[in-house]
């Protein structure tokens, strides 16, 4: 009968699972990309724990896993090229492979390969030796004097080794080797006394002498693959955004397998020496799977720790069983033993009792055994065994509202539940299979709690070094510990047949629900895949637009700020020289105007993408324009010892052009030339007029030429791509965003010009801009400056200035009084309204209003004034003078009844021009 039921159950389960499996291909097909995956040739070094597995062999390791995660983000398909590290690096430099990992940064390598933005990890470098050199393992590094130390030739660890030897005043011979295999072969043959390398796998059976240094390592890409680098960087950022601790988690996954973790520190060695190289372990007797006795031998998890201590560390171990926890704790405090267990890891309990907690030896889940099926009622009274890690005290922590009934053993607890003296009992999950052989279990239900508890050992604070030693053993014995726990779980079956028979219909319904859910999920994913892809694309585009805006603002503002600060310092030094003082003031003023125009035009940069950029042509002089641009860079060039020359050969000296956008173009070009030209080099800006072929227009060819680091031929097609840089900050040690040239290209296109770039790596770069402008005259320039200003209008006029900032008010009052105005000052919007209300009609001719003010802001004050009963006061002209300079701020000002809008910082000519226009409009 039992066999028949089992067969039926198995058949049902297989049918349901088969249905679920058959749904998976549709789900998989729905997610396939239409494009063929990109094949990437990867240099693969067969190194244990990092990239294990030769050609055609099973692969694993931290580096291999990282490659797979990258492929999930990029869709790449790998073609593995197996070779030594040195051979792979040489192939990468020649472009014979596309990608490899574990490459430390050096300036020499950076000339031939491209580094990823984000480090792959952190390499720790050690000196290792074999058992044939015990004298090097005593902790005295002076024993290295006269030794021969091997290191892989041409690597970062070679540099770190030489620096460490010099710092420690150790005289040792350094021998260059070809890689891991060569290093270890020579060490085993006795040709070397020690080797310097990154952390080794435990399986090499070498012992660490001392730590010598660290360095970051990266994924690297062939120099002819800048697009591949962009995809790699995007994938790395995606991985880090999803889990910012990904690198650390991946490293820790393999850390327990590394030799460095076995190295005992000096304090640990001293503790062992003081204790006769012996650790005394005390365990609770017959408490499996942690510890027990079988045929006179210790069994259980503790044996894995004992074996590791004795075999890998050479430490003598004694194990003493104790009948109960009282005896175990007494022995620990009497220092009859060094470590006691098992206990549940509880740092608060340890602190209160002056004890030290080790790392978790295994993790266990609390399991509740109870009568009936009502779990909520069952935990009102809980039996807890004194002879278990799940003590009555721990039960009180887990069930604070329950009545805890102490019992001596877990079997006593089970009997109490069966007899009705308690509703339930609690034990660790690691013990559940020990109790399954007891007939009473069939009367009880089982519930597993969500909490995870770590089982550890304890020691006294005076013996805390015993805990740190055991922590290293726990780390290295983790694989063995897992095996012991698994073996214990298999000692007695889980009686799956009984569970299935009892809950057959519930299981069948559950699997049916899962099948339906998978079907619905498959349908929804197929239907919504396109929507998700489009949404992701839109999100990336929005993020890129925001990033463009922020980077562009920072990039553009820095150059005029540098000029202003430089000339300010010169002005302080030469205040007694009127000629220099005036020259520096003129140049500060020119840079200030450029900075202000950039700030006012920041939002227009985003309009480039939208196609809504507006042309703002005014008349200007070619020579004055060139002088203004070059003056911002003169001090910067001199400070860097760069020869900077400008020359102009033009027939028409005055033209109409969009000065702000044209400035942006040449500021970017000269900024790049300065940035990428080394001291001793030269930068030249030359303006030449060439035939335009169009009457009334002049064509100018402007060349910016430098002797900087230049660009490779393969990179030039990508120079106008956003964020594209042939050398990142790590490689070239030069800050940059990769936005300058794309901005230049878009502005040149908008202004109807052309741009050409010629560059050779190590020789320099020449950028040629050709643009055509409508010819102007000197009279056009003069009329443009002063045509809107009528100083005669200002005499005798009274202005009410509403400004809460004292410094801004002082500047505005001085400017307005010099122009002929009489000025009264109101500290905020409310005071402004009160002063106007109290004044006679017509007393004030105009109000200049700040926006951000306390009590009543500018908008609110303007609305209040327009609602005044006196028609003369209500109609007074109001001009906003504010740092709120966006287009929506202007619209809000006019909506509130203001007549004009001026953006801070104040430009005197703009202020006077606006005042003149406003007074004329109002007929004053």
């Amino acid at each position: 009968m039992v066999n028949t039921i089992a067969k039926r159950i198995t058949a049902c389960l297989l049918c349901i699972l088969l249905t679920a499996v058959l749904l998976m291909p549709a789900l998989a097909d729905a997610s396939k990309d239409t494009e063929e995956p990109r094949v990437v040739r990867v240099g693969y070094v067969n190194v244990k724990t990092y990239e294990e597995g030769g050609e055609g062999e099973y692969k694993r390791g931290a580096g291999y896993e990282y490659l797979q995660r990258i492929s999930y983000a990029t869709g790449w398909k790998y073609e593995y090229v197996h070779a030594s590290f040195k051979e792979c690096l040489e192939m990468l430099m020649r472009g014979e492979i596309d990608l490899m990992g574990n490459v430390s940064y050096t300036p020499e390598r950076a000339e031939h390969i491209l580094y990823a933005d984000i480090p792959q990890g952190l390499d720790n470098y050690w000196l290792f030796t074999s058992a044939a050199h015990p004298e090097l393992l005593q902790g005295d590094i002076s024993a290295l004097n006269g030794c021969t130390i091997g290191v892989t030739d041409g690597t970062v660890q070679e540099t770190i080794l030489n620096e460490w030897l010099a710092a420690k005043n150790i005289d040792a011979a350094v021998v260059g080797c070809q890689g891991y295999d060569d290093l270890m072969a020579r060490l085993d043959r006795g040709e070397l006394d020690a080797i310097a390398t990154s952390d080794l796998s435990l399986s090499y059976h070498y012992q660490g002498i001392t730590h010598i240094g660290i360095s970051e390592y990266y994924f690297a890409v062939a120099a002819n693959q800048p697009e591949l680098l962009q995809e790699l960087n995007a994938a790395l950022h995606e991985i880090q955004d999803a889990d910012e601790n990904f690198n650390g988690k991946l490293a820790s996954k393999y850390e327990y397998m590394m030799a460095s973790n076995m190295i005992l520190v000096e304090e640990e060695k001293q503790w062992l020496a003081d204790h006769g190289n012996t650790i005394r372990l005390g365990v609770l007797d017959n408490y499996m799977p942690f510890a027990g006795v079988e045929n006179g031998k210790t069994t259980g998890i503790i044996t894995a720790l004992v074996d590791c201590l004795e075999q890998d560390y050479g430490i003598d171990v004694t194990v003493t069983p104790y009948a109960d926890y009282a005896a175990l704790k007494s022995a620990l405090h009497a220092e009859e033993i060094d470590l006691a267990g098992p206990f549940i890891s509880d740092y608060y309990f340890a602190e209160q009792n002056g004890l030290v907690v080790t790392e978790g030896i295994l993790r266990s889940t609390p399991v509740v055994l109870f009568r009936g099926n009502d779990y909520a009622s069952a935990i009102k009274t809980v039996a807890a065994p004194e002879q278990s890690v799940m003590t009555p005290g721990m039960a009180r922590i887990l069930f604070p509202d329950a009545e805890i009934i102490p019992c001596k053993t877990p079997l006593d607890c089970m009997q109490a539940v069966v007899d009705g003296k308690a509703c339930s009992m609690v034990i660790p999950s690691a013990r559940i299979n020990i109790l399954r052989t007891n007939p009473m279990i069939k009367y009880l239900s089982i519930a597993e709690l969500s909490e995870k508890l770590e089982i550890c050992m304890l020691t006294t604070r005076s013996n805390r070094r015993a805990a740190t030693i055991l922590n290293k053993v726990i780390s290295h014995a983790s694989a063995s510990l897992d095996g012991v726990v698994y073996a214990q779980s298999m000692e007695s079956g889980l009686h799956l047949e009984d569970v299935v028979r009892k809950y057959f219909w519930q299981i069948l319904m559950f699997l049916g629900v899962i099948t339906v859910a998978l079907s619905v999920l498959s349908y929804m994913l197929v239907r919504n895949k396109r929507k998700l892809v489009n949404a992701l694309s839109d999100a990336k585009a929005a993020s890129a637009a925001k990033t463009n805006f922020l980077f562009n603002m920072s990039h553009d503002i820095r150059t005029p700020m540098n000029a202003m600060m430089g000339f300010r310092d010169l002005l302080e030094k030469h205040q007694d020289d009127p000629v220099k003082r005036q020259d520096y003031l003129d140049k500060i003023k020119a840079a200030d105007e450029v900075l202000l125009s950039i700030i006012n035009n920041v939002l227009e940069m985003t309009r480039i993408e939208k196609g809504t950029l507006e042309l703002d042509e005014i008349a200007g002089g070619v020579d004055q324009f060139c002088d203004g641009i070059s003056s911002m860079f003169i001090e910067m060039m001199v400070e860097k010892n760069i020869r900077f020359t400008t020359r102009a050969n033009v027939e028409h000296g005055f033209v109409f052009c969009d000065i702000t956008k044209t400035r942006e173009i040449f500021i970017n070009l000269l900024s790049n030339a300065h940035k990428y030209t080394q001291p001793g080099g030269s930068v030249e800006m030359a303006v030449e007029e060439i035939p335009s072929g169009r009457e009334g227009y002049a064509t100018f060819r402007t060349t910016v030429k430098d002797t900087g680091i230049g660009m490779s031929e393969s990179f030039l097609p990508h120079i106008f791509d956003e964020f594209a840089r042939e050398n990142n900050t790590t490689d070239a040690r030069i800050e940059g965003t990769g936005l300058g040239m794309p901005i230049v290209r878009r502005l040149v296109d908008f202004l109807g010009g052309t741009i050409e770039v010629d560059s050779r790596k190590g020789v320099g770069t020449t950028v040629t801009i050709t643009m055509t402008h409508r010819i102007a005259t000197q009279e056009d320039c003069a009329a443009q400056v002063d045509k809107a200003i009528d100083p005669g209008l200002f005499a005798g006029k009274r202005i009410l200035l509403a400004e809460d900032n004292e410094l801004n008010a002082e500047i505005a009052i001085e400017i307005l009084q010099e122009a002929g105005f009489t000025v009264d000052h109101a500290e905020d919007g409310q005071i402004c309204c009160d002063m106007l209300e109290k004044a006679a009609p017509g007393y004030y001719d105009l109000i200049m209003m700040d926006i951000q003010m306390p009590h009543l802001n500018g908008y609110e004050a303007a609305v209040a004034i327009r609602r005044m009963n006196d028609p003369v006061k209500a109609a007074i002209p109001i001009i906003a003078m504010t740092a709120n300079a966006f287009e929506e701020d202007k619209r809000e000002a006019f909506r509130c009844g203001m007549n004009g809008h001026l953006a801070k910082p104040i430009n005197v000519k703009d202020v006077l021009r606006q005042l003149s226009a406003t007074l004329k409009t109002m007929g004053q």
Side-chain angles (χ1 to χ4, degrees):
M1 180 67 179
V2 171
N3 290 337
T4 302
I5 293 175
K7 288 179 180 179
R8 290 178 180 176
I9 292 171
T10 303
C12 290
L13 293 178
L14 286 175
C15 289
I16 293 171
L17 291 175
L18 181 60
T19 302
V21 170
L22 289 174
L23 290 171
M24 290 299 103
L27 187 60
D29 289 341
S31 63
K32 287 183 179 178
D33 294 328
T34 57
E35 298 181 0
E36 288 294 324
R38 180 172 188 167
V39 178
V40 177
R41 299 166 298 174
V42 178
Y44 197 90
V45 182
N46 190 356
V47 177
K48 293 179 181 179
T49 74
Y50 177 72
E51 286 178 345
E52 295 188 25
E55 190 166 356
E57 295 178 346
Y58 180 83
K59 290 177 170 53
R60 69 188 296 268
Y64 176 74
E65 284 193 29
Y66 214 140
L67 285 170
Q68 298 311 303
R69 288 295 295 271
I70 292 170
S71 73
Y72 299 161
T74 59
W76 294 344
K77 180 179 180 181
Y78 293 128
E79 177 184 306
Y80 297 103
V81 179
H82 296 268
S84 69
F85 177 86
K86 186 176 182 181
E87 291 168 337
C88 285
L89 185 59
E90 291 173 349
M91 285 190 283
L92 185 69
M93 291 182 175
R94 295 193 298 266
E96 297 171 4
I97 60 174
D98 306 314
L99 172 70
M100 71 176 292
N102 199 22
V103 182
S104 298
Y105 174 83
T106 67
E108 295 77 18
R109 291 176 182 174
E111 294 180 1
H112 306 287
I113 59 178
L114 306 176
Y115 284 90
D117 289 343
I118 299 175
Q120 182 186 357
L122 195 66
D123 255 336
N124 279 276
Y125 300 109
W126 296 78
L127 290 182
F128 292 95
T129 190
S130 65
H133 300 279
E135 71 281 359
L136 299 180
L137 299 171
Q138 303 306 312
D140 184 5
I141 61 174
S142 64
L144 291 166
N145 280 297
C147 290
T148 301
I149 303 175
V151 64
T152 301
D153 189 32
T155 57
V156 169
Q157 51 258 48
E158 183 178 16
T159 302
I160 289 176
L161 172 62
N162 286 319
E163 291 175 351
W164 184 84
L165 291 172
K168 300 297 182 180
N169 293 318
I170 294 174
D171 183 15
V174 176
V175 177
C177 301
Q178 297 303 306
Y180 282 96
D181 294 340
D182 189 26
L183 281 169
M184 296 171 189
R186 293 194 188 193
L187 182 60
D188 293 340
R189 290 196 301 266
E191 297 174 11
L192 301 173
D193 301 306
I195 58 174
T197 186
S198 54
D199 206 355
L200 292 175
S201 167
L202 276 172
S203 58
Y204 287 114
H205 300 295
Y206 296 118
Q207 299 182 57
I209 300 173
T210 186
H211 182 258
I212 63 172
I214 60 175
S215 74
E216 291 180 331
Y217 60 94
Y218 298 79
F219 284 105
V221 172
N224 61 351
Q225 296 275 19
E227 291 182 0
L228 189 73
L229 178 64
Q230 289 183 356
E231 292 182 39
L232 172 64
N233 284 333
L236 294 177
H237 283 287
E238 180 179 332
I239 291 170
Q240 297 297 323
D241 289 343
D243 184 358
E244 61 183 13
N245 196 32
F246 172 78
N247 290 12
K249 290 179 180 178
L250 184 58
S252 64
K253 181 175 179 179
Y254 293 89
E255 184 179 4
Y256 76 95
M257 305 170 67
M258 306 309 291
S260 63
N261 290 337
M262 288 191 64
I263 300 174
L264 300 181
V265 299
E266 190 61 35
E267 291 82 0
E268 293 166 342
K269 293 179 180 178
Q270 185 61 51
W271 186 91
L272 285 171
D274 294 339
H275 290 74
N277 196 45
T278 300
I279 292 181
R280 301 165 298 172
L281 303 181
V283 298
L284 190 63
D285 190 19
N286 198 28
Y287 191 79
M288 294 296 288
F290 189 81
V293 178
E294 185 176 333
N295 298 326
K297 291 186 177 181
T298 302
T299 59
I301 294 172
I302 198 70
T303 58
L305 301 179
V306 172
D307 290 343
C308 185
L309 282 165
E310 292 180 340
Q311 297 172 15
D312 295 333
Y313 286 85
I315 299 173
D316 297 328
V317 181
T318 63
V319 180
T320 304
Y322 291 86
D324 53 44
Y325 268 114
L328 184 62
K329 294 177 182 177
S330 175
L332 181 64
H333 285 292
E335 297 193 353
E336 297 172 4
I337 54 177
D338 302 313
L339 290 156
F343 289 92
I344 289 178
S345 181
D346 187 334
Y347 283 91
Y348 183 75
F349 168 80
E351 181 187 23
Q352 299 304 308
N353 291 274
L355 300 174
V356 174
V357 179
T358 70
E359 297 289 344
I361 298 172
L362 74 153
R363 300 185 74 187
S364 188
T365 305
V367 173
V368 178
L369 304 180
F370 59 99
R371 287 181 288 112
N373 296 313
D374 187 357
Y375 171 77
S377 299
I379 58 173
K380 291 181 179 179
T381 57
V382 180
E386 295 176 345
Q387 301 308 318
S388 169
V389 295
M390 203 63 65
T391 61
M394 181 55 63
R396 289 188 181 93
I397 295 175
L398 293 173
F399 308 104
D401 298 327
E403 177 188 355
I404 306 302
I405 301 176
C407 298
K408 187 173 183 181
T409 69
L411 290 179
D412 294 335
C413 290
M414 185 179 289
Q415 189 67 57
V417 175
V418 172
D419 294 343
K421 297 178 181 179
C423 296
S424 62
M425 64 175 290
V426 60
I427 59 172
S429 58
R431 292 275 294 169
I432 188 65
N433 289 314
I434 306 298
L435 299 181
R436 281 193 178 276
T437 57
N438 192 290
M440 289 186 289
I441 195 73
K442 64 183 179 182
Y443 300 110
L444 304 177
S445 299
I446 300 175
E448 191 174 44
L449 302 187
S450 60
E451 297 190 38
K452 298 292 184 181
L453 304 177
E454 288 194 337
I455 308 300
C456 67
M457 299 191 78
L458 298 177
T459 187
T460 60
R461 290 191 176 270
S462 60
N463 280 334
R464 61 187 180 277
R465 284 300 168 187
T468 61
I469 295 171
L470 189 67
N471 286 343
K472 295 179 179 179
V473 173
I474 292 170
S475 174
H476 290 294
S478 58
S480 300
L481 294 174
D482 292 341
V484 173
V485 174
Y486 180 74
Q488 295 296 330
S489 70
M490 296 298 290
E491 282 185 357
S492 55
L494 293 177
H495 306 288
L496 176 62
E497 187 175 292
D498 294 335
V499 175
V500 172
R501 183 166 58 246
K502 184 176 180 180
Y503 299 104
F504 173 74
W505 292 111
Q506 291 92 328
I507 294 174
L508 191 63
M509 290 178 62
F510 174 74
L511 290 176
V513 170
I514 292 297
T515 303
V516 173
L518 286 173
S519 301
V520 174
L521 177 63
S522 175
Y523 170 75
M524 292 177 63
L525 287 178
V526 172
R527 186 188 66 177
N528 295 330
K529 178 175 182 283
R530 181 62 59 188
K531 292 181 179 179
L532 292 173
V533 170
N534 292 339
L536 178 62
S537 177
D538 292 343
K540 288 182 177 179
S543 177
K546 181 179 72 172
T547 304
N548 283 358
F549 174 81
L550 295 174
F551 277 144
N552 182 36
M553 182 171 61
S554 173
H555 179 272
D556 291 346
I557 287 175
R558 187 176 291 111
T559 299
M561 282 294 295
N562 285 339
M564 293 167 64
M565 294 171 67
F567 285 119
R568 178 203 64 192
D569 293 340
L570 290 172
L571 182 61
E572 290 178 348
K573 295 179 181 178
H574 300 284
Q575 295 186 44
D576 297 332
D577 188 330
V579 176
K580 289 185 177 181
R581 184 172 65 244
Q582 187 59 47
D583 181 47
Y584 295 150
L585 286 172
D586 291 342
K587 290 175 179 176
I588 289 174
K589 186 176 181 181
D592 170 69
E593 291 175 353
V594 172
L595 179 60
L596 180 58
S597 68
I598 291 173
I599 294 174
N600 289 336
N601 201 38
V602 160
L603 286 182
E604 284 197 13
M605 299 307 297
T606 61
R607 296 175 193 160
I608 296 175
E609 300 291 343
K610 298 179 181 179
T612 59
L613 197 63
E614 296 179 359
L615 188 66
D616 182 21
E617 286 189 333
I618 61 174
V622 176
D623 290 337
Q624 291 86 342
F625 176 84
C626 294
D627 290 343
I629 292 293
S630 62
S631 67
M632 286 189 293
F633 289 90
I634 289 174
E635 293 300 323
M636 296 168 60
M637 298 290 187
V638 170
E639 186 175 333
K640 197 175 176 182
N641 192 25
I642 295 174
R643 185 166 57 88
F644 180 42
T645 57
T646 59
R647 57 185 177 86
N649 181 18
V650 299
E651 178 182 351
H652 299 92
F654 302 95
V655 295
F656 289 98
C657 75
D658 191 321
I659 293 178
T660 299
K661 297 177 183 61
T662 308
R663 275 194 186 122
E664 290 287 330
I665 292 170
F666 292 105
I667 286 173
N668 273 290
L669 295 181
L670 287 172
S671 177
N672 283 342
H674 170 266
K675 183 190 305 181
Y676 293 106
T677 300
Q678 302 300 324
S682 63
V683 175
E684 178 186 49
M685 184 175 79
V687 183
E688 178 185 9
E689 185 173 345
I690 60 176
S692 69
R694 187 178 176 187
E695 188 175 354
Y697 288 81
T699 300
F700 300 92
R701 182 168 57 206
T702 306
T703 302
V704 177
K705 182 178 181 181
D706 66 61
T707 60
I709 63 176
M711 292 167 281
S712 65
E713 184 178 349
S714 62
F715 179 73
L716 279 178
H718 305 282
I719 190 173
F720 298 119
D721 295 345
E722 292 185 0
F723 309 109
R725 300 187 69 212
E726 184 168 24
N727 299 289
N728 61 27
T729 303
T730 302
D731 300 330
R733 300 292 189 261
I734 297 174
E735 297 289 343
T737 63
L739 283 173
M741 292 306 291
I743 291 170
V744 168
R745 174 62 176 269
R746 290 198 294 268
L747 289 176
V748 169
D749 289 345
F750 176 77
L751 296 175
T754 62
I755 180 171
E756 297 178 0
V757 181
D758 179 39
S759 184
R760 284 196 295 165
K761 205 167 185 65
V763 176
T765 300
T766 301
V767 182
T768 303
I769 305 287
T770 304
M771 288 193 290
T772 299
H773 303 285
R774 185 160 53 96
I775 299 171
T777 64
Q778 190 170 3
E779 289 74 19
D780 291 328
C781 298
Q784 189 169 257
V785 173
D786 299 319
K787 65 181 180 181
I789 301 176
D790 183 3
L793 288 174
F794 304 154
K797 302 296 183 185
R798 184 179 295 273
I799 288 180
L800 176 56
L801 173 68
E803 171 63 70
D804 64 316
N805 185 284
E806 293 184 6
L807 181 59
N808 289 343
E810 182 179 350
I811 294 172
I813 291 171
E814 187 68 27
I815 292 173
L816 294 171
Q817 287 179 344
E818 286 187 0
F821 289 100
T822 300
V823 184
D824 290 343
H825 178 212
E827 286 78 6
D828 59 48
Q830 184 61 58
I831 296 174
C832 175
C833 291
D834 294 343
M835 291 176 66
L836 180 62
E837 188 70 50
K838 294 176 182 177
Y843 181 75
Y844 292 112
D845 299 286
L846 187 141
I847 296 176
M848 300 197 73
M849 182 82 71
D850 187 23
I851 299 299
Q852 298 294 337
M853 293 185 295
H855 304 128
L856 204 64
N857 67 36
Y859 298 140
E860 295 167 339
V863 171
I865 291 171
R866 294 301 180 226
R867 292 176 178 174
M868 287 184 174
N869 295 326
D870 189 312
V872 176
K873 295 177 181 178
I876 189 172
I878 305 174
I879 297 176
M881 187 171 66
T882 173
N884 295 4
F886 300 132
E887 191 62 35
E888 54 266 34
D889 299 315
K890 293 181 182 179
R891 290 196 296 268
E892 181 65 15
F894 291 125
R895 189 189 67 82
C896 293
M898 297 186 180
N899 305 89
H901 185 280
L902 289 168
K904 295 178 182 177
I906 295 173
N907 182 296
V908 177
K909 292 180 180 178
D910 288 344
V911 171
L912 298 181
R913 203 176 284 124
Q914 176 71 68
L915 292 174
S916 176
T918 302
L919 292 174
K920 284 181 178 179
T921 302
M922 302 304 293
Q924 299 187 31

